[in-house]
């Protein structure tokens, strides 16, 4: 059976339940279902294989997930432009929310997933990056996402650009999650080189409702990283 419906905002739900169980990987499951990421984007499946997306959301909800993320991680204009799909930003993101909700039912919260743009020269293209995040965030909010999940961010600079533009464009809460790594010296950093403390502080200062990490190996060092983040 599906989990009970949550009322109110994300922070209220977490406060009431202590923690919320989120879904798992989308990309790897879609590849198992036949997606070839060299030929097509995962997000394009929102339009070409909606039944697969809907069924995966439903499977996560039935398994007990209280948060279902949308299949829109690469749904910004920069990422979609790499596939000649920049004109489909609205269609891809609107479908992503609709399919997640149809599959999840009325119980779980729907997290509008947003990933990094992939732009290297972030400072030089800050305005365009901000516009891309604003466009995607507005579309996800308009389609009915309960909150936004800015995930696998590798640079606090880009995360701050995203958060500042999202806060001007939507009223949704934003969870900002970074991808960290452990260096040969044993220190933890974001992929841009920033320390966890710097990344978390900048994200919170830019308006993140909550912060965290994802895409880190579940090895013996994970507990140490969690302690570092807790102290940040």
């Amino acid at each position: 059976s599906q989990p009970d419906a949550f009322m109110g905002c994300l922070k209220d739900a977490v406060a009431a339940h202590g923690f919320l169980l989120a879904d798992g990987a989308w990309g790897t499951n879609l590849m198992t279902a036949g997606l070839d990421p060299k030929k097509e984007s995962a997000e394009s499946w929102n339009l070409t294989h909606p039944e697969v997306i809907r069924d995966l959301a439903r499977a996560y909800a039935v398994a007990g997930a209280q948060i279902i993320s949308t299949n829109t991680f690469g749904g910004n204009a920069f990422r979609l432009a790499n596939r000649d799909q920049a004109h489909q930003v609205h269609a891809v993101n609107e479908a992503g929310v609709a399919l997640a909700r149809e599959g999840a039912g009325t119980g779980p919260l729907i997290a509008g997933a947003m990933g990094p743009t992939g732009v290297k020269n972030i400072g030089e293209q800050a305005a365009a990056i901000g516009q891309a995040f604003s466009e995607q965030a507005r579309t996800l909010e308009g389609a009915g996402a309960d909150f936004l999940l800015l995930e696998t961010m590798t640079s606090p600079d880009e995360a701050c650009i995203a958060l500042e533009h999202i806060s001007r464009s939507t009223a949704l809460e934003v969870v900002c999650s970074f991808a960290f790594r452990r260096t040969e010296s044993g220190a933890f950093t974001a992929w841009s080189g920033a320390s966890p403390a710097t990344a978390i502080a900048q994200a919170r200062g830019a308006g993140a409702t909550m912060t965290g990490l994802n895409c880190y190996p579940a090895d013996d060092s994970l507990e140490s990283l969690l302690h570092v983040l807790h102290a940040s």
Side-chain angles (χ1 to χ4, degrees):
S1 62
Q2 294 185 335
D4 295 334
F6 293 107
M7 304 299 293
C9 65
L10 174 64
K11 290 183 70 175
D12 290 342
V14 172
H17 294 268
F19 69 90
L20 300 179
L21 180 65
D23 57 10
W26 276 83
T28 51
N29 277 310
L30 293 182
M31 284 188 280
T32 299
L35 171 72
D36 183 349
K38 294 182 180 180
K39 297 180 179 179
E40 54 190 341
S41 66
E43 295 74 24
S44 69
W45 273 40
N46 293 344
L47 306 178
T48 61
H49 297 72
E51 70 287 348
V52 176
I53 306 303
R54 189 185 302 111
D55 288 349
L56 183 53
R58 181 178 296 114
Y60 276 132
V62 170
Q66 298 161 300
I67 294 173
I68 304 295
S69 54
T70 57
N71 181 41
T72 55
F73 175 79
N76 61 69
F78 281 98
R79 289 278 187 186
L80 291 177
N82 294 333
R83 306 280 186 168
D84 296 323
Q85 296 174 325
H87 62 288
Q88 293 185 317
V89 169
H90 295 281
V92 161
N93 285 279
E94 288 171 353
V97 176
L99 293 168
R101 178 62 73 194
E102 290 169 14
T106 58
L109 293 172
I110 303 300
M114 306 174 69
T117 60
V119 173
K120 303 301 181 183
N121 50 338
I122 293 172
E124 295 178 14
Q125 297 199 54
I129 291 171
Q131 182 178 352
F133 280 116
S134 292
E135 179 184 28
Q136 187 180 13
R138 287 195 304 270
T139 305
L140 291 168
E141 180 182 43
D146 293 307
F147 68 95
L148 299 176
L149 175 59
L150 189 63
E151 60 176 324
T152 323
M153 299 306 291
T154 59
S155 164
D157 292 337
E158 183 175 36
C160 287
I161 292 171
L163 288 163
E164 289 164 2
H165 282 78
I166 290 170
S167 66
R168 297 190 207 126
S169 305
T170 81
L172 294 180
E173 297 167 300
V174 186
V175 175
C176 183
S177 181
F178 289 93
F180 294 109
R181 60 179 175 175
R182 193 174 196 181
T183 65
E184 292 183 359
S185 67
F188 296 105
T189 70
W191 285 87
S192 65
S195 70
T198 296
I200 296 301
Q202 288 187 226
R204 288 176 178 168
T209 306
M210 299 179 187
T211 53
L213 78 152
N214 66 290
C215 286
Y216 188 86
D219 59 19
D220 292 340
S221 66
L222 177 57
E223 184 175 359
S224 297
L225 175 55
L226 291 173
H227 283 301
V228 170
L229 293 179
H230 183 69
S232 298

